[in-house]
Amino acid sequence: MLEALDYIGLVAFAISGVLSAANRNLDILGGYIIAFITALGGGTIRDLLLNVDVAWMTSFYQILVVIGGASFAILFRGRLRYWRRTLSIFDTIGISVFTIIGVQKGLAHDQIPLIAVFLGMITATFGGLLRDVLCNEIPLIFKDEIYAIPCLIGGSFYLAGDYLGIENTSWFLWVSILIIIILRTLAVIFSWKLPLIKQFK
Amino acid sequence: MLEALDYIGLVAFAISGVLSAANRNLDILGGYIIAFITALGGGTIRDLLLNVDVAWMTSFYQILVVIGGASFAILFRGRLRYWRRTLSIFDTIGISVFTIIGVQKGLAHDQIPLIAVFLGMITATFGGLLRDVLCNEIPLIFKDEIYAIPCLIGGSFYLAGDYLGIENTSWFLWVSILIIIILRTLAVIFSWKLPLIKQFK
Amino acid sequence: MLEALDYIGLVAFAISGVLSAANRNLDILGGYIIAFITALGGGTIRDLLLNVDVAWMTSFYQILVVIGGASFAILFRGRLRYWRRTLSIFDTIGISVFTIIGVQKGLAHDQIPLIAVFLGMITATFGGLLRDVLCNEIPLIFKDEIYAIPCLIGGSFYLAGDYLGIENTSWFLWVSILIIIILRTLAVIFSWKLPLIKQFK
């Protein structure tokens, strides 16, 4: 089930990579490469920081899902505008699952709680950050509706459950994911934004 | 022989790094740093993904060759315009050799074939990608004459040979390199480009 | 003592990250993330290249210091303009200490001298380079007053001491740090710049 949601997230991220590439007038291969980096970049940075083997390098299915998502986006790019809401839901599912997977992996490698939550956020958001850097844009997560904050909150909640000894495959996992999904959805609906640094002048 | 071609590639990449830096009006040290990142960045990303020691860190000769190539480019920058064709040939040799070295290294570390080919392409092209990101440009490989596709094709051919048990230091190696060189040269001559994503609207 | 100076450097780098983020009109979380990457990015790249565990991941204090420095910068951003000189001194202390820590770590992991000096420079300057890339700017270190050269000189001096067998916690350490501080300070005062590549036309 977690794996299925992980794949949904990969598809959403691959599609968002292709759309960014299209906005920049890149070619098809550029679209695939940006799709890969968007979908798998966050997990790659997490694994590099943990100094462990990079997860997707041994996961043929993840690679296929990204190729599938990117191909779909390239072929049906014109129609994707009608599916914007669906894509946004997919993306939200993606960041929620990526966050929890990142926290789990941090804990599995004996990181302190703070770092584990950071790794969850990095897994969820740094793929998009790399996408924006490659497309020569200021990363979205730094200025739009709150995106990383729900990950930090949901990740912390999951961590608390783990800390209290609640088995991490239980309902706690799903509540954590739901927290992220709800907070992010509310943020999009009500345009919740963090204050800009300038406002503290 | 493969090593000699590897050095030719490093020189070509170092020079292209310096030229990009000059276009952006950077200083000499900026030129050297971009030269290093262009020449050695692809292999670095490959080795980070493989979670193995970074190759150039233990290769004094590679570092010297890059410093030499960058110094040459800085000193004779004015004349390099007359050598554009030679540089382009050097660059083509570079991506062909880098690709095969990347595929070899992926296989040596028990990666699945698809990943091995990816690693070949990454070795050949991601140094240039980092160069463009640092110089605040949309990466060239995403929009110009096909550059990464010949690497993918030649790398796959080499892989097939390895798969069929043909010894990888034999003629198969050279045919693979030649395939990349010929395809890339044809792409430059005839301005082969991939379709843009937009064209699929 | 070295640790205390290390923290001063982290604070200076965190503040410079927040100021860059403010210039780009980013939100608070963007400020924190850029602060982290500026302060810890150089050491992270060094550790990735060395293929060893990333230092800050096991250093709760370093993380707290960066959070503290970034929070301070966000809250008192308006007044920081009066403290520009103090910040510049902090930054100079930072690069000097980061350089020596980088060289030490390179030597501790049996790198050749040239690489150890490179790692010192990378530790000191590549956090700022990542900051500039994320804020969509040409990296400062490539074009302004000399910044990396004092690191290379001080790092080489320290290396020479190590090579001659002078114990590396002795006066030699402090002289190396002082060399970097003095050279960088002179560079700022007298606007020392490296020649641009273009000038070699």
Side-chain angles (χ1 to χ4, degrees), chain C residues 140-160:
Chain C
L140 262 183
I141 64 159
F142 294 160
K143 53 179 190 183
D144 257 22
E145 285 93 12
I146 61 167
Y147 191 86
I149 295 285
C151 301
L152 290 174
I153 294 173
S156 302
F157 184 80
Y158 178 77
L159 195 85

Side-chain angles (χ1 to χ4, degrees), chain A residues 51 136 142 148 195 197-198 200, chain C residues 22 26-29 53 74 136:
Chain A
N51 201 13
N136 211 359
F142 293 160
I197 300 171
K198 289 227 160 144
F200 280 83
Chain C
L26 304 188
D27 64 28
I28 289 180
L29 188 76
D53 284 346
I74 289 172
N136 212 359

